[in-house]
Amino acid sequence: MSTMLPPSSSSGTATAPATAQEPRETTEALEADRPAEARARARADQRAETGPRGTEARTAPWGTDPYANALRNGRGPLFLRRSDGWLLPLEVERWCSDAGAADLSALHRCEGPVLDIGCGPGRLVAELTALGHRALGIDVSEAAVARTRRIGGSALLRSVFDPLPGEGRWGTLLLVDGNIGIGGDPAALLDRAADLLSTGGLLIAETSPLDIDERAQVRLDDGRRAPAEKAAPGPADRPFPWARIGTPALLRYAGACGWRPADQWSAEGRAFVSLRRPRRPVRERSARTSSQSAESANSTPVISSQLER
């Protein structure tokens, strides 16, 4: 049985849809794909994360209530809350539904093997698999990864800033449903995306329909209780950096990083941009991206022992 990893060559041969056994095979292929030094670091990280038997691993906000509960239930309410109390509604019901017309407008533009960054409950990975693409989702939420696998997709519990399979060989990266905001630093995220894509690879990003460029510390909130009414803060109450950017802002960041605009379109009130990878060799991560990776490692439990077996 084939895995969801991109091939070493530029072959675009499609694979059969994912099966229930594929997540384990993908995990094994991931370990084989990573250099020995990276595997050693991962084992060291695993020991540091898990500690003695019975010690609970650190938990990221996206891996706990209320996000995990919303995905398990398939509905909200769920919000990103800024420190000033402003709420951004998250479209959990849409995320947990089948891919819609706007999603398909992006998926039909995908080329080669596809990596869905922040795949959530997996509708895009499952649809890509059904369309014959090699597709892999990554997410820092155990609930998201489990649901993606349950509906026929392949997914790993991992941050975009951590070592990933097939680096430099992906044909298309997806950053939809607001995921261009991951890490609160669009330039660092674009930097990392360039490392993941093959030469001439495509990045498809969904942007805010508003002309905005904002960064904020946010936390997940189900809107059911005011912050003052909550018990002792847990992992889900920790603030984390996020960004919201419109198409003009994304194009400014992309131009500064050497990305080439490929297309812009809108569908069902949602805005999308596709960009071609910069014409430069894949290099070591910039200081900014490395800093972001360190922050991610300190806040997300992306260790191999937590992948479903």
Side-chain angles (χ1 to χ4, degrees):
M1 183 184 299
S2 60
T3 71
M4 292 290 100
L5 299 181
S8 297
S9 68
S10 58
S11 170
T13 305
T15 60
T19 69
Q21 294 299 316
E22 210 154 50
R24 180 170 184 172
E25 292 192 358
T26 304
T27 304
E28 292 168 350
L30 164 63
E31 291 305 310
D33 186 72
R34 293 162 67 187
E37 181 181 354
R39 294 199 298 270
R41 285 199 306 269
R43 287 193 293 270
D45 290 344
Q46 176 179 338
R47 289 192 295 270
E49 287 279 0
T50 56
R53 182 177 297 275
T55 300
E56 184 178 358
R58 290 175 305 194
T59 309
W62 294 98
T64 60
D65 299 335
Y67 181 68
N69 284 342
L71 292 195
R72 293 187 188 104
N73 296 330
R75 62 182 184 275
L78 188 66
F79 307 90
L80 290 181
R81 177 188 285 272
R82 282 194 321 224
S83 58
D84 61 4
W86 178 85
L87 296 174
L88 174 67
L90 300 179
E91 300 179 80
V92 178
E93 289 85 354
R94 179 172 64 79
W95 298 349
C96 292
S97 300
D98 294 337
D103 298 322
L104 292 174
S105 75
L107 300 188
H108 288 158
R109 288 171 163 83
C110 289
E111 305 168 356
V114 183
L115 180 66
D116 185 5
I117 299 169
C119 65
R123 76 187 188 285
L124 302 185
V125 178
E127 183 67 24
L128 283 164
T129 301
L131 291 172
H133 282 274
R134 282 176 296 236
L136 176 69
I138 57 170
D139 206 290
V140 296
S141 163
E142 290 182 350
V145 170
R147 193 178 188 283
T148 299
R149 294 174 177 177
R150 191 164 62 248
I151 65 174
S154 186
L156 294 174
L157 185 69
R158 202 161 289 253
S159 162
V160 65
F161 294 105
D162 289 298
L164 294 174
E167 295 200 12
R169 302 207 307 270
W170 294 99
T172 303
L173 301 184
L174 293 177
L175 282 168
V176 301
D177 298 332
N179 285 330
I180 190 65
I182 288 174
D185 188 342
L189 187 56
L190 288 172
D191 217 23
R192 175 58 175 146
D195 289 341
L196 296 172
L197 280 171
S198 61
T199 301
L202 192 68
L203 169 65
I204 297 177
E206 182 177 356
T207 59
S208 171
L210 305 175
D211 184 4
I212 60 173
D213 183 359
E214 69 174 31
R215 308 181 193 189
Q217 291 287 320
V218 300
R219 62 179 180 80
L220 290 161
D221 196 307
D222 59 13
R224 293 189 172 92
R225 288 185 297 169
E229 298 174 344
K230 295 192 175 184
D237 297 305
R238 292 201 306 263
F240 55 94
W242 199 255
R244 294 174 68 219
I245 61 173
T247 295
L250 176 57
L251 292 177
R252 287 195 299 272
Y253 286 117
C257 297
W259 291 80
R260 294 175 290 129
D263 198 3
Q264 298 178 46
W265 72 97
S266 60
E268 298 186 323
R270 296 165 60 191
F272 299 88
V273 175
S274 60
L275 303 165
R276 288 289 174 190
R277 179 183 180 274
R279 293 182 181 276
R280 60 175 173 77
V282 175
R283 53 173 173 70
E284 293 297 321
R285 298 178 189 175
S286 67
R288 175 172 51 201
T289 306
S290 298
S291 174
Q292 179 65 52
S293 178
E295 180 180 341
S296 173
N298 288 333
S299 62
T300 54
V302 280
I303 54 176
S304 58
S305 66
Q306 291 175 302
L307 298 175
E308 291 182 356
R309 295 287 180 175

